[in-house]
Amino acid sequence: MSHVLLDNDGRPQAAAAPTGKDAASVAATQRNTEDMIVFRGVSKQYGSAVALHATDFSIRKGEFLSLLGPSGSGKSTILNIIAGAVAPTEGIIVLDGKDVSTVPPRERGLGMVFQNYALLPHLNVFDNVAFPLRIRGVAKSEIQQRVRNALERVGLTGYEHRKPREMSGGQQQRVGIARCIVYSPSVILMDEPLGALDKKLRDQLQGEIKRLHRDLGTTLVYVTHDQEEALNLSDRVCLMNGGRIAQLGTPDELYFEPVNEFVADFVGESNLIEGVVQDEGVVRVSANRVLKVRSTQGHAIGAKVKVLVRPEKIDIVEQMRAEDDNTCTGTIAQVSFVGGMTRFELTLADGATLLVKGISARAAERANVGQQLAVRWAARDAVVLRK
Ligand SMILES: Nc1ncnc2c1ncn2[C@@H]1O[C@H](COP(=O)(O)OP(=O)(O)O)[C@@H](O)[C@H]1O
Ligand SMILES: [Mg+2]
């Protein structure tokens, strides 16, 4: 059996880690007591295929962090490495100040919720939720109390005797969540928990998970490929691409200050306009058109850059005015009425396409295909991508 070596201060030593990183680097990761989970150079290879490139990041205590990204980008790999279900090829995992690289899953004090619920079909709801307590040898009277509390938290009081097959998908996932929170894990890990549910139920359970996190105050790591879900739920989002972190930041940072085109495209809709830095805050996009942008800091004059403008930051105006930062006109190539918002695709004079989104108006008042539209946007909403 594996165990953690302790040094003179009772802290775990790096010697137990697979890479043999020096003790100083582990001690350094432990200085910040606000971190719940720290990855230091953690990677995972399957044969010659790299599922996760060497990765460093930390998750704060009590934080709701989503791992977002396309299928195969390494989200579940990170979650399973935290859980201890997958051993990293290299690197150190620190959990609440302890190097757990060699600590087996059950001793890590984590709770896990899966997409397919993973309930035991022959056990009723009570016994499914009681299961983790029984294997931990908790006393019978305490089991009663804790299962009752957990079921109450997920709104399933009265369902104790149902079998999983007698419940809807949403109810089964509530049982999965109750079974996870019943033993008060220090970290909750969820892998696409709402992936099997329809949109309306997903929205409802998203709200419940958010509330649960607020009530429990537990660190929660949540895997999803749905950017809206990640933005809605999370304190911070870690966007993955091809086994690497593309960007880790608040929903605001990913949405309004994406570092590169991949992030801008994955999170929300975007206009990406190519150009060359002409002056501080000015990007030339064609022979007769320049953009005023928020900042060109970090890019030399003459550097090729991409400028992001979110479609909903572009206003449709009656008339172009000289005092506006950026204005142009275009011909409407397409209109889509998507509930509260209407989305216009404009073709500009130089052939470029510009997406514009605005609050919907009734059909009679709505501009239509073939019409000319004048638009404007502020320099502060034109962001030069960092990479
Ligand atoms: N057990 C495994 N054996 C071989 N390759 C794997 C295994 N598990 C995952 N992978 C590969 O690692 C990459 C990342 O997988 P995963 O972390 O599951 O992605 P995600 O959860 O983002 O969809 C994928 O290319 C996947 O095919
Ligand atoms: Mg996955």
Side-chain angles (χ1 to χ4, degrees):
M1 223 196 79
S2 51
H3 60 282
V4 180
L5 297 176
L6 298 180
D7 66 14
N8 294 338
D9 298 321
R11 286 182 317 209
Q13 277 184 354
T19 47
K21 287 217 170 171
D22 62 272
S25 80
V26 172
T29 68
Q30 291 169 346
R31 239 170 264 137
N32 186 352
T33 53
E34 294 303 305
D35 288 337
M36 190 66 195
I37 300 165
V38 180
F39 270 37
R40 287 279 176 255
V42 176
S43 68
K44 179 66 187 176
Q45 274 177 253
Y46 292 101
S48 61
V50 182
L52 183 67
H53 293 272
T55 297
D56 297 275
F57 75 101
S58 46
I59 301 174
R60 298 172 193 143
K61 273 194 181 140
E63 175 169 56
F64 195 128
L65 182 125
S66 288
L67 293 162
L68 173 68
S71 175
S73 58
K75 309 181 294 293
S76 296
T77 300
I78 290 183
L79 205 74
N80 289 324
I81 289 174
I82 297 171
V86 164
T89 305
E90 283 197 299
I92 294 172
I93 298 112
V94 179
L95 187 68
D96 201 9
K98 286 192 290 286
D99 180 353
V100 295
S101 303
T102 58
V103 174
R106 197 180 291 173
E107 290 167 32
R108 294 191 185 188
L110 311 170
M112 189 110 182
V113 178
F114 305 91
Q115 172 170 346
N116 59 7
Y117 323 135
L119 302 177
L120 297 163
H122 57 287
L123 296 183
N124 67 22
V125 167
F126 184 94
D127 291 331
N128 262 289
V129 177
F131 189 79
L133 299 176
R134 294 207 168 109
I135 60 175
R136 284 170 172 77
V138 175
K140 212 168 172 185
S141 58
E142 196 183 334
I143 290 180
Q144 284 284 345
Q145 184 60 37
R146 286 170 74 169
V147 172
R148 199 180 307 140
N149 283 344
L151 287 176
E152 193 183 323
R153 276 203 187 276
V154 299
L156 283 183
T157 301
Y159 287 80
E160 288 79 359
H161 301 294
R162 293 262 190 114
K163 290 281 174 59
R165 66 167 181 280
E166 296 164 343
M167 306 179 87
S168 70
Q171 290 170 330
Q172 289 187 54
Q173 192 53 297
R174 288 196 181 90
V175 178
I177 294 170
R179 182 188 51 187
C180 167
I181 62 175
V182 75
Y183 56 96
S184 309
S186 58
V187 176
I188 296 176
L189 308 173
M190 297 191 176
D191 198 344
E192 313 230 8
L194 310 182
L197 305 174
D198 62 40
K199 172 95 176 95
K200 203 164 167 204
L201 204 51
R202 229 164 47 219
D203 289 349
Q204 189 188 336
L205 268 143
Q206 260 181 46
E208 290 180 22
I209 290 173
K210 204 170 176 175
R211 180 175 47 78
L212 193 69
H213 172 255
R214 231 183 0 241
D215 291 351
L216 297 175
T218 309
T219 308
L220 205 156
V221 189
Y222 189 97
V223 169
T224 180
H225 63 267
D226 179 338
Q227 49 107 4
E228 279 184 30
E229 192 166 285
L231 296 185
N232 170 25
L233 287 172
S234 318
D235 296 314
R236 287 192 305 160
V237 177
C238 179
L239 178 56
M240 302 295 299
N241 183 22
R244 292 180 210 276
I245 296 177
Q247 189 169 356
L248 199 171
T250 62
D252 259 35
E253 285 165 348
L254 266 77
Y255 193 81
F256 292 110
E257 285 153 52
V259 294
N260 60 28
E261 192 168 343
F262 173 80
V263 181
D265 268 343
F266 200 86
V267 182
E269 279 198 298
S270 50
N271 290 293
L272 286 169
I273 307 162
E274 287 185 25
V276 171
V277 178
Q278 174 169 307
D279 210 340
E280 170 51 39
V282 181
V283 173
R284 175 158 296 283
V285 295
S286 64
N288 43 21
R289 204 152 74 87
V290 294
L291 290 184
K292 286 188 186 153
V293 299
R294 186 196 300 170
S295 163
T296 45
Q297 217 183 351
H299 301 274
I301 305 286
K304 274 186 154 178
V305 292
K306 286 192 175 124
V307 180
L308 166 76
V309 185
R310 294 291 184 189
E312 63 275 17
K313 291 291 183 189
I314 302 176
D315 298 324
I316 297 168
V317 291
E318 298 278 322
Q319 253 182 340
M320 297 203 286
R321 295 174 311 179
E323 65 264 36
D324 288 329
D325 293 337
N326 297 294
T327 55
C328 67
T329 57
T331 309
I332 303 178
Q334 210 167 39
V335 181
S336 3
F337 176 46
V338 265
M341 299 293 266
T342 299
R343 187 175 171 279
F344 299 94
E345 239 179 86
L346 296 187
T347 306
L348 308 184
D350 57 6
T353 298
L354 194 70
L355 281 182
V356 179
K357 264 198 227 167
I359 307 288
S360 294
R362 282 174 172 276
E365 292 142 30
R366 198 154 66 222
N368 226 324
V369 174
Q371 261 176 273
Q372 285 275 116
L373 273 189
V375 295
R376 69 158 181 214
W377 62 93
R380 66 167 184 278
D381 295 321
V383 180
V384 178
L385 300 185
R386 263 190 266 158
K387 296 183 233 173

